[in-house]
Amino acid sequence: MTSDLLAPLDLAFWNIESAAHPMHLGALGVFAAHSPTAGAHAADLLASRAAAVPGLRMRIRDVWQPFTFAPLAFGGATREPDPDFDPLAHVRLHAPTADFHADAGRLMQRPLERDRPPWEAHVLPGEDGVSFAVLFKFHHALADGLRALTLAASLLDPMDLPAARARPEPPSRGVLPDVRKLPGLVKGALSDVGRALDIGASVAVSGLGVRSSAALTADATGTRRTAGVVVDLDDVHRVRKSVGGTVNDVLIAVVAGALRRWLDERGDGSEGVAPRALIPVSRRRPRTAHPQGNRLSGYVIRLPVHDPDPLGRLGTVRAAMDRNKDAGPQRGAGAVALLADHLPPLAHRLGGPLVGQAARLWFDILVTSVPLPSLGLRLGGHPVTAVFPFAPLARGQSLAVAVSTYRGGVHYGLVADAAAVPDLDRLAAALREEVAALLTACGS
């Protein structure tokens, strides 16, 4: 494998990271164990398989040599093979635990080491002897959700998948434009200016008249807590069939209702609360997109936490998502990530800390969906019984929600600042209660 310049959005994730705000994705897979030694065997398998996965050998190195690379790359970073790659430095076996999420929270708060391939796999044997868990961590500059899934799946047992057609390798990312394309580039630049102004205006308007909660936007302490809950996908489909919309509309509305229950129970109150939720949207073209670069936009909607009616909340979410889809992911407040494509690497380097601090001006909570295969996942023959995706916490946010559907269940993974949200388990329980409330409201 050869060196490859980081895509602009990858570079942005690399530069906005801080000790209190590590920019890694996570996923906690829980496995049914056949024996008390299953965890140790799983760790051995992960380490041996990692050695054969080229994408896991890639480290990220800063570019400061203007004469080695083209001038436009100065201040950027490359993804390149690590000649000293050692899988044993990335796969770690821990002592048996009675609480997978407690350990996962502590591990999620630790930044990945930036001088070697930025990923880790932590194996957590269960004290019960009949289960173990694996926490995967991938830096967002190394992989987006889909790419992280691909890398993690390469370490699990092979799945019987249809043979994929061979695809040509995408061309290397150049650092200087092709002169034959300059007229089109100029026209595109003018269009980009208009888009940037539109996005900026949308961000400003989205912040008007918003009441969020201190629990969602508290100052960060750098600590982390995780929680997870599984709800029946059939129940979600029953709600969707009863009121219309999409499964994603229902899943987002469940978050809004759970936040209302949680805020009221803890005494913060939900009256007038309508936090801005960022809903990431993938811009990948499956057969043509570069396999490693982040290609993201997003929608921003106000979660109707203040509305006491479950069906009213769902209707509001559905209407907001329909408006976003009609406008498309290229404009609006959620499309801020697109602006990363039009900044030189040095601007990312110098402006990264400022961009990270500005996140709270953009949105209050992240609600993201992470795709998983419908086929059963296994490691050493041990089946996955649950998998909880975790998103990174931006500066100014205390809570992030990630959702995956797997084997008939909807798996919500919650990450929070441990000091700001010590009762995260209660919020996880409220998600299940909100699904029940929607079913009752639908007469199911």
Side-chain angles (χ1 to χ4, degrees), residues 19-404:
H21 294 89
M23 286 290 108
H24 54 253
L25 310 167
L28 181 68
V30 181
F31 296 78
H34 300 159
S35 71
T37 61
H41 178 56
D44 291 339
L45 280 176
L46 291 172
S48 63
R49 292 173 178 176
V53 180
L56 296 178
R57 294 175 170 269
M58 304 303 283
R59 63 180 178 181
I60 296 174
R61 296 190 68 187
D62 296 330
V63 176
W64 290 113
Q65 295 81 22
F67 299 107
T68 303
F69 294 88
L72 291 181
F74 181 72
T78 62
R79 190 184 292 107
E80 61 183 41
D82 182 356
D84 301 317
F85 175 65
D86 179 6
L88 295 178
H90 298 264
V91 179
R92 299 170 188 174
L93 177 64
H94 294 260
T97 178
D99 188 338
F100 294 138
H101 279 288
D103 283 28
R106 288 190 291 270
L107 292 168
M108 281 295 291
Q109 74 189 32
R110 301 179 188 174
L112 293 164
E113 296 189 29
R114 292 169 67 93
D115 60 350
R116 64 188 186 193
W119 69 274
E120 293 173 351
H122 296 270
V123 181
L124 308 170
E127 282 186 351
D128 56 14
V130 296
S131 65
F132 67 91
V134 179
L135 175 67
F136 291 102
K137 294 167 58 178
F138 294 95
H139 199 288
H140 219 326
L142 179 70
D144 61 7
L146 185 58
R147 175 66 175 167
L149 170 64
T150 301
L151 290 172
S154 67
L155 300 178
L156 302 181
D157 294 353
M159 294 183 289
D160 294 327
L161 298 175
R165 289 185 297 176
R167 300 175 187 173
E169 282 293 318
S172 299
R173 224 181 253 112
V175 294
L176 290 174
D178 185 336
V179 294
R180 294 170 295 180
K181 299 180 180 179
L182 283 177
L185 291 172
V186 171
K187 181 179 179 180
L190 294 176
S191 175
D192 290 339
V193 170
R195 179 187 300 170
L197 292 174
D198 192 9
I199 293 172
S202 297
V203 170
V205 170
S206 72
L208 297 176
V210 172
R211 181 180 173 232
S212 186
S213 168
L216 301 180
T217 57
D219 290 334
T221 65
T223 58
R224 292 290 182 271
R225 186 183 302 274
T226 73
V229 66
V230 182
V231 300
D232 194 328
L233 181 58
D234 286 342
D235 288 342
V236 174
H237 279 299
R238 290 188 187 96
V239 174
R240 179 191 61 80
K241 291 176 181 178
S242 176
V243 301
T246 68
V247 166
N248 202 41
D249 294 341
V250 178
L251 299 181
I252 296 170
V254 166
V255 173
L259 287 173
R260 176 183 174 83
R261 294 169 181 273
W262 175 64
L263 291 174
D264 286 344
E265 287 182 10
R266 73 197 322 250
D268 290 355
S270 59
E271 184 177 355
V273 173
R276 297 160 300 174
L278 173 63
I279 317 294
V281 176
S282 175
R283 296 173 55 241
R284 279 183 179 273
R285 296 178 180 177
R287 296 188 179 277
T288 59
H290 194 281
Q292 295 175 329
N294 276 280
R295 300 291 295 172
L296 293 172
S297 183
Y299 301 139
V300 171
I301 70 170
R302 296 191 185 189
L303 295 180
V305 173
H306 60 281
D307 189 340
D309 177 22
L311 294 183
R313 291 192 291 269
L314 176 52
T316 299
V317 167
R318 179 183 175 188
M321 289 298 290
D322 285 346
R323 287 193 298 271
N324 274 289
K325 292 172 186 175
D326 288 342
Q330 305 295 320
R331 294 183 180 272
V336 167
L338 300 182
L339 301 182
D341 290 343
H342 308 292
L343 295 176
L346 191 57
H348 280 285
R349 177 81 57 182
L350 299 177
L354 294 177
V355 171
Q357 293 175 18
R360 71 171 66 205
L361 303 176
W362 177 21
F363 65 98
D364 303 304
I365 182 173
L366 176 73
V367 182
T368 185
S369 177
V370 180
L372 287 177
S374 58
L375 299 174
L377 300 172
R378 292 176 177 270
L379 178 57
H382 305 282
V384 171
T385 59
V387 56
F388 303 103
F390 299 135
L393 280 183
R395 189 182 299 272
Q397 276 83 49
S398 303
L399 175 68
V401 181
V403 193
S404 289

